[in-house]
Amino acid sequence: MRFFSDNAAPACPAVLDAIVAANGQDTAYDGDALSRRLDARFGELFGCEVAVLWVPSGTAANCLALTAMCPPHGGIVCHREAHIQNDEGGAPEFYTHGAKLMLLDGNGAKLSPATIAAFLSTIRNDVHQVQPHAISITQATEAGRVYTPDEVAAIGDLAKARGLGLHMDGARFANAVAHLGCMPADVTWKAGVDALSFGFIKNGGMSAEALVFFRPELAKVAHYRRKRAGLLASKGRFLAAQLLAMLEGDVWLANARSANIGASMLARAAGDRLVHAVEANEVFLRLSAEEATALRAQGFDFYDWGAGQARLVVAWDQDTATVAPLAQAIANL
């Protein structure tokens, strides 16, 4: 009955089992056997050489990625609704020691090459203006929309031509891949992404996210910054265990597919109430205050999302039987 956020969902059994299995003595920090497996295992998933750091939160992953790409005097191009702008308490600016977020608009919280290029054309190459060093996009976006491989590649080509790094905030990367039905590589390094914040906590993880560098040289400084930021857990094997468990048997993808199916059920029930096309596990719909009250009176919890709108998020463990009552309640409004 709770559709506030997938952050509130329980950890999935595979993760809990892996944590228990990791509960033995091993080397501290990231020198343990499980942590040392991450590069190879994620390399198998993406089909390329990668360097992977475990971190305890998506904010940490985003910030460490951006510090590897952008100096304190530089700028990071992102959408005005980006999580790094609105929901991370100034952490990107803090960890980069002052880099400027350069905010652009776009439908569905998506950036386009044309919008980015138009903005870049206004920046003079002199010391009086902040120079961009990176672009950050969110997959799926803050409006629940998904970038296709071609859309990412178009931004990636622009970033490469301008000498900019490309970061993907993949808090719901699994949901995006499940929607696209593509290989993870198609929408990341093959499309020009340099670093991915690969979200696991929203998708059934407990306390671990993966920062994946497709340019392994960027990870060299990130290791030091992770320690300096207080993010190097002494018993890192418990974080590594979660990531490996989610990759085993494609648990990460199965969980995301389940959540997406539930969101699609709600989308069909919502009909023309939808604010955005539903492409992942978030549903944004138009609700009057009275209608929202009526749904809550039936026991359904969700966030109001601006005047006359609501956001519903389906988690990995909310199957069709769990979602069906809310879908029916929405259809009955």
Side-chain angles (χ1 to χ4, degrees):
M1 305 289 273
R2 296 178 60 84
F3 295 86
F4 279 117
S5 172
D6 37 12
N7 282 317
C12 68
V15 165
L16 297 177
D17 290 344
I19 291 173
V20 173
N23 193 26
Q25 191 173 46
D26 203 330
T27 306
Y29 304 110
D30 60 353
D32 61 276
L34 295 174
S35 295
R36 292 198 305 270
R37 287 176 52 196
L38 292 178
D39 288 359
R41 183 63 186 88
F42 277 85
E44 291 174 4
L45 177 67
F46 287 100
C48 66
E49 181 183 0
V50 297
V52 180
L53 281 71
W54 46 250
V55 290
S57 71
T59 295
N62 288 337
C63 292
L64 288 176
L66 294 173
T67 61
M69 298 180 185
C70 186
H73 60 273
I76 300 158
V77 177
C78 65
H79 196 279
R80 191 175 304 279
E81 296 176 27
H83 199 271
I84 59 173
Q85 161 66 12
N86 294 323
D87 296 282
E88 295 188 345
E93 295 91 334
F94 176 77
Y95 281 102
T96 59
H97 301 285
K100 181 181 179 64
L101 298 183
M102 311 173 98
L103 310 180
L104 304 184
D105 295 307
N107 292 333
K110 294 171 74 171
L111 296 180
S112 70
T115 301
I116 298 169
F119 170 73
L120 296 178
S121 71
T122 67
I123 301 174
R124 302 186 309 273
N125 184 24
D126 65 47
V127 298
H128 299 286
Q129 292 197 308
V130 174
Q131 301 300 306
H133 284 256
I135 300 169
S136 179
I137 60 176
T138 310
Q139 181 77 308
T141 75
E142 288 73 17
R145 300 296 302 278
V146 168
Y147 286 94
T148 67
D150 286 345
E151 288 173 329
V152 178
I155 295 174
D157 289 344
L158 174 61
K160 183 177 181 180
R162 300 299 182 97
L164 307 178
L166 179 56
H167 164 249
M168 177 176 284
D169 177 353
R172 295 185 175 91
F173 179 73
N175 302 95
V177 172
H179 170 76
L180 292 167
C182 67
M183 299 298 292
D186 296 337
V187 75
T188 52
W189 68 270
K190 286 186 177 181
V193 173
D194 296 306
L196 167 69
S197 302
F198 193 156
F200 285 87
I201 295 174
K202 287 180 169 64
N203 194 34
M206 187 175 78
S207 58
E209 306 278 47
L211 172 51
V212 182
F213 286 106
F214 299 106
R215 288 168 52 198
E217 69 273 14
L218 292 176
K220 294 179 181 178
V221 68
H223 281 282
Y224 288 93
R225 290 183 180 275
R226 178 174 64 172
K227 173 62 178 179
R228 187 173 187 266
L231 299 170
L232 181 62
S234 61
K235 297 182 180 179
R237 60 189 179 277
F238 292 106
L239 282 76
Q242 296 176 55
L243 302 179
L244 293 169
M246 293 285 283
L247 295 187
E248 186 68 28
D250 284 339
V251 171
W252 67 283
L253 201 51
N255 284 358
R257 286 173 178 149
S258 177
N260 286 6
I261 289 171
S264 296
M265 287 181 62
L266 297 180
R268 290 191 293 272
D272 59 8
R273 292 180 180 273
L274 290 178
V275 179
H276 302 288
V278 175
E279 296 175 341
N281 65 322
E282 295 179 284
V283 180
F284 297 83
L285 69 163
R286 299 176 185 86
L287 284 181
S288 68
E290 294 76 17
E291 289 170 333
T293 298
L295 289 179
R296 290 188 172 110
Q298 298 174 62
F300 301 110
D301 290 331
F302 49 87
Y303 282 122
D304 294 322
W305 210 256
Q309 295 184 18
R311 187 193 75 166
L312 313 173
V313 184
V314 180
W316 70 271
D317 65 326
Q318 292 177 307
D319 58 18
T320 54
T322 303
V323 176
L326 175 57
Q328 188 61 55
I330 292 171
N332 291 340
L333 289 175

